[in-house]
Amino acid sequence: MRNMASSASSRGIAAIVGVGPNLGLSIARKFAHEGYTVAILARDLGRLSRFAEEIAREEMAQVFAIRIDCSDSKSVREAFEGVLSLGYVEVLVYNAAHHPPFSSAPTSFLHLPLQSFEKSLDVSSLGAFLCAQHVLPGMVERGKGTILFTGCSASLNGIAGYSELCCGKFALRALSQCLAREFQPQGVHVAHVIIDGVIGPPRGTSTTASSSQRGSVNMDPDAVAQSYWQLHVQDKNAWTQEMDLRSSSSVFY
């Protein structure tokens, strides 16, 4: 974290937890583009620092890289002490997850290690619980704020071989509904975003392959990030609690 004494935007901080090279990075870039001071959080501080420098340079924004391990309550507490030292958090996007990609072979329940199951629950749901507890007091005090949780198709349906992912994401969805019922009357918009597809790199990047090369249609993270922004700026008289996103090329079964 650099320039901790620098003045943060009067709009508050947008804290993006779980920033990788696709969706998390696009969401952070979008909020920076809209004038927010952005805190990006993930475990790999080296990569995160490169992301922060990239966004700050492209968007002429203040971006702070902060390491976090969402499965460790001490790490979450220390990370959010850093975030809150920048100012109050107006937006929290929880995008963290611990699971094998759908492209990998499923794991039979009988061979699923306890540690792996616990880790997925910790990252998908416990981490979200901890992060939300750190930012909600400030949001309630000001009567405004946005919390957006990233879910997936496994948030809705059990999938054979993906017990750890489904259970963690089911719990995250329940948490989002509970927080919405409790805190939306106090001015805090809580929404759950179901990503029903695979997030790829942004369109036009050198790593973006054609649909035929990929074997499936990846979702553009910049387009998805735009939906997150729209959730944040929604009129409070018509707030969305859950949004289901998929590519127009997706096949329904």
Side-chain angles (χ1 to χ4, degrees):
M1 296 174 61
R2 298 189 179 94
N3 301 324
M4 291 294 293
S6 301
S7 60
S9 166
S10 60
R11 305 179 73 175
I13 307 299
I16 318 299
V17 180
V19 173
N22 295 328
L23 181 56
L25 180 59
S26 289
I27 295 171
R29 183 182 289 113
K30 176 61 180 176
F31 278 88
H33 180 75
E34 297 295 340
Y36 278 84
T37 295
V38 177
I40 58 175
L41 300 93
R43 287 184 301 169
D44 188 338
L45 185 57
R47 184 173 71 167
L48 207 59
S49 297
R50 293 191 294 273
F51 290 159
E53 292 173 1
E54 174 187 325
I55 298 170
R57 182 177 63 252
E58 293 176 355
E59 304 298 340
M60 299 298 292
Q62 286 190 307
V63 185
F64 298 87
I66 303 173
R67 187 186 182 280
I68 191 172
D69 180 349
C70 293
S71 67
D72 183 340
S73 60
K74 181 175 182 289
S75 175
V76 174
R77 184 185 73 252
E78 292 175 346
F80 273 87
E81 286 174 354
V83 173
L84 292 170
S85 73
L86 301 171
Y88 74 93
V89 175
E90 184 176 331
V91 183
L92 169 65
V93 177
Y94 192 82
N95 190 54
H98 173 80
H99 57 79
F102 278 114
S103 58
S104 67
T107 302
S108 167
F109 178 77
L110 297 179
H111 299 110
L112 179 63
L114 173 61
Q115 294 84 351
S116 181
F117 189 81
E118 289 178 331
K119 184 77 168 181
S120 185
L121 290 176
D122 286 346
V123 175
S124 290
S125 54
L126 179 59
F129 163 86
L130 293 169
C131 292
Q133 279 202 329
H134 284 288
V135 303
L136 273 167
M139 293 180 177
V140 170
E141 180 182 350
R142 291 171 178 81
K144 67 175 183 177
T146 302
I147 298 178
L148 304 176
F149 296 112
T150 299
C152 61
S153 53
S155 304
L156 303 177
N157 300 291
I159 304 170
Y162 294 94
S163 301
E164 55 186 316
L165 170 63
C166 294
C167 290
K169 289 297 186 180
F170 265 58
L172 180 65
R173 186 184 187 218
L175 178 65
S176 75
Q177 293 178 3
C178 292
L179 296 186
R181 288 183 179 274
E182 183 173 354
F183 292 103
Q184 286 192 171
Q186 301 178 62
V188 182
H189 185 190
V190 181
H192 179 240
V193 184
I194 299 169
I195 308 297
D196 190 8
V198 178
I199 301 288
R203 285 192 295 260
T205 63
S206 59
T207 55
T208 303
S210 68
S211 297
S212 59
Q213 289 174 314
R214 291 192 302 262
S216 63
V217 178
N218 286 350
M219 299 172 69
D220 177 15
D222 288 346
V224 176
Q226 180 65 31
S227 294
Y228 280 70
W229 172 254
Q230 291 300 325
L231 284 170
H232 172 55
V233 298
Q234 274 186 327
D235 189 291
K236 65 169 58 177
N237 290 303
W239 272 347
T240 297
Q241 202 287 305
E242 187 162 80
M243 176 180 284
D244 192 338
L245 300 178
R246 62 173 58 84
S247 167
S248 62
S249 302
S250 296
V251 178
F252 287 84
Y253 293 96

